[in-house]
Amino acid sequence: MGVVPVSEALSRLSQDPAFWASVLTGDRFTESRPTLHVSFPVVGGYALVLEADLDGGERALGLRSPASLEPIQLGWTAPGLPLPAALRWWELDLCARVIALEDPTLPHPGLVVALLSPFAPALPEDNGHEITQVRTAAYRSLLRPPPGDEPPDPRREPPLPLFTDAAWWPSPRVLDDATITRYLTADQPHAEVRSGHRFPRADLDRMLRLADRRLAELADNPLFARVRPSARQITESGDLSHVSELVHVLTEAGCDHPTVLDALSEPLVPAEACWMVETLAGAAPGTLLRRCV
């Protein structure tokens, strides 16, 4: 598993509420290093690249391909301008799932969705409620307390030893619920940018095909064959109460993939568990989530 850990600079910034105000709304953010450049490798040498002038308010999302050193621009904005609708929501969701598989420090939904969702607005054909639930989970992941900081709950199983280390948990309470609600309900105008001749549609489509194949490969992995019937049953019923049983079967089978185990472990985050159960079941993204929200 090729893990690309979150840079120290981004990790530090992501724990500052003022940083999120700048990234999500374009507010000015005075910082000693006001320029943010972060690359999220997706698959096959493709990556989504976010660049932001945190002081001036300019933001750009790019796509890096295996054939190019510099990212090709998907969309750009500045204060007073609408946000570019550079990605469709399902495209961001798919990329975030695959990124999480390759980098267990970036669970889905989490930092990737929180940072890039301004570039992927909900369209009329999308399920707005479903998207809101995923975005809410992404923002709340920034304040999720580590195991042991929550009141004990006899109904919950203790966390796996892998996830009790402090390195897995950033400082809690980065965003409070009132701030999250404000970001979710902000009415931000978007501009369509995908029709331009410079938009890298072929590269984007290629990356998405590879990402979709990557999810399918995980579902077809013999290590996960034991849990596929149970995962399909959960997907069909929408009942997450049996998710913990998947963890037992997987660990007995020798699974040690942090992203898989974390998504299914207590404390359970429904949006996070749904994407993993869907993947293990070989179901289309959103199949279980729509039944749960």
Side-chain angles (χ1 to χ4, degrees):
M1 182 175 58
V3 176
V4 182
V6 178
S7 70
E8 181 180 348
L10 178 57
S11 179
R12 176 175 54 81
L13 287 171
S14 68
Q15 298 175 31
D16 188 334
F19 164 76
W20 290 102
S22 176
V23 169
L24 298 177
T25 67
D27 292 352
R28 294 190 63 181
F29 178 50
T30 303
E31 227 264 357
S32 58
R33 297 181 60 189
T35 301
L36 173 69
H37 180 100
V38 56
S39 177
F40 292 116
V42 181
V43 63
Y46 288 92
L48 292 172
V49 181
L50 175 65
E51 296 180 277
D53 179 350
L54 302 177
D55 186 25
E58 294 185 11
R59 287 167 285 169
L61 180 65
L63 173 65
R64 193 180 67 238
S65 72
S68 63
L69 295 177
E70 294 297 325
I72 306 169
Q73 190 176 102
L74 293 171
W76 172 90
T77 189
L81 297 178
L83 288 162
L87 295 174
R88 301 299 183 237
W89 173 260
W90 70 268
E91 295 171 344
L92 172 58
D93 182 65
L94 174 61
C95 290
R97 292 174 184 231
V98 173
I99 291 168
L101 288 176
E102 304 303 332
D103 184 350
T105 68
L106 294 172
H108 173 67
L111 184 62
V112 177
V113 171
L115 279 174
L116 303 186
S117 59
F119 296 93
L123 299 178
E125 60 267 27
D126 291 325
N127 186 319
H129 180 64
E130 176 186 327
I131 292 174
T132 296
Q133 295 303 308
V134 175
R135 290 183 63 198
T136 299
Y139 296 140
R140 284 182 174 166
S141 73
L142 303 172
L143 56 80
R144 184 170 54 170
D149 282 8
E150 295 180 317
D153 187 338
R155 296 170 299 178
R156 288 180 173 174
E157 296 187 9
L160 296 176
L162 175 65
F163 306 116
T164 57
D165 191 288
W168 280 92
W169 304 92
S171 300
R173 309 308 298 179
V174 176
L175 300 178
D176 57 30
D177 286 336
T179 302
I180 292 173
T181 299
R182 186 167 69 252
Y183 290 151
L184 291 172
T185 57
D187 187 15
Q188 295 181 308
H190 284 80
E192 179 57 57
V193 296
R194 295 165 64 102
S195 58
H197 69 279
R198 293 185 177 180
F199 189 83
R201 184 173 304 279
D203 281 325
L204 178 60
D205 289 345
R206 170 66 174 165
M207 180 183 73
L208 295 172
R209 287 195 298 271
L210 292 175
D212 189 63
R213 188 183 306 168
R214 175 72 179 90
L215 282 185
E217 288 172 353
L218 182 73
D220 292 338
N221 189 316
L223 181 64
F224 305 129
R226 296 187 189 180
V227 299
R228 179 174 289 184
S230 298
R232 287 178 173 172
Q233 184 175 3
I234 293 172
T235 301
E236 292 170 359
S237 68
D239 183 3
L240 296 179
S241 63
H242 299 290
V243 167
S244 60
E245 299 172 11
L246 301 183
V247 178
H248 290 304
V249 176
L250 288 169
T251 52
E252 288 178 357
C255 174
D256 60 356
H257 195 304
T259 301
V260 175
L261 297 177
D262 185 29
L264 302 174
S265 299
E266 300 285 356
L268 199 68
V269 179
E272 190 174 348
C274 282
W275 87 265
M276 184 52 63
V277 174
E278 291 167 356
T279 301
L280 294 173
T287 303
L288 174 58
L289 185 63
R290 281 189 288 274
R291 290 188 171 97
C292 293
V293 302

